[in-house]
Amino acid sequence: ENDAWKKAHRDRGMECQKSEDRVYSLKEQLAQTLRTRGDEGRQLSEAMQETRQLNDELEQARNNFQAAERERAKAQAAKIAAEDQRDRAHAGKTAAEEQRLAAHVARTTA
């Protein structure tokens, strides 16, 4: 009976040790999983931050492009206005020259 008790006690001790080993192993697995997820979380956070920064840079580039387009359109409009003014001045000069020649012709034929 004493031997049976010792054997049962030893068996329970071995079962207990196996359970403790499993618990330790599971705790290690959990710790590793948490570390991995922590690393993944940090990587995700860094990627999200980089994405926000790139979006900000893209928005700034878009704004700069639109401002440049507005400036180009203003310059084009100013160029067209200057050409129009030059053409009008030329037309006025041509009309004045025509009137002067017509007056000269009228004087010489009279």
Side-chain angles (χ1 to χ4, degrees):
E1 184 176 311
N2 196 15
D3 286 338
W5 180 85
K6 285 181 183 179
K7 184 180 181 308
H9 183 68
R10 187 174 53 243
D11 289 348
R12 280 193 295 270
M14 287 174 35
E15 287 175 22
C16 189
Q17 185 62 45
K18 286 180 185 178
S19 292
E20 286 177 3
D21 290 347
R22 266 184 45 89
V23 166
Y24 179 79
S25 176
L26 290 171
K27 283 182 178 179
E28 284 299 311
Q29 286 178 5
L30 177 60
Q32 181 59 40
T33 299
L34 291 175
R35 281 192 295 273
T36 300
R37 288 205 178 142
D39 290 343
E40 291 170 352
R42 278 188 292 283
Q43 290 171 353
L44 178 60
S45 178
E46 289 169 4
M48 289 172 64
Q49 178 62 31
E50 186 175 345
T51 300
R52 282 191 292 274
Q53 182 178 350
L54 290 172
N55 282 337
D56 290 347
E57 290 175 14
L58 177 61
E59 183 66 25
Q60 185 62 44
R62 188 178 294 130
N63 290 341
N64 291 345
F65 175 76
Q66 290 172 347
E69 280 296 300
R70 284 191 298 273
E71 289 301 315
R72 186 194 62 76
K74 285 180 188 176
Q76 184 68 22
K79 179 182 173 189
I80 291 170
E83 288 173 355
D84 186 49
Q85 186 177 10
R86 185 196 71 215
D87 291 347
R88 287 179 191 209
H90 181 70
K93 183 179 176 184
T94 303
E97 182 68 19
E98 185 182 324
Q99 286 178 355
R100 186 183 67 75
L101 288 174
H104 180 68
V105 169
R107 279 193 308 265
T108 56
T109 57

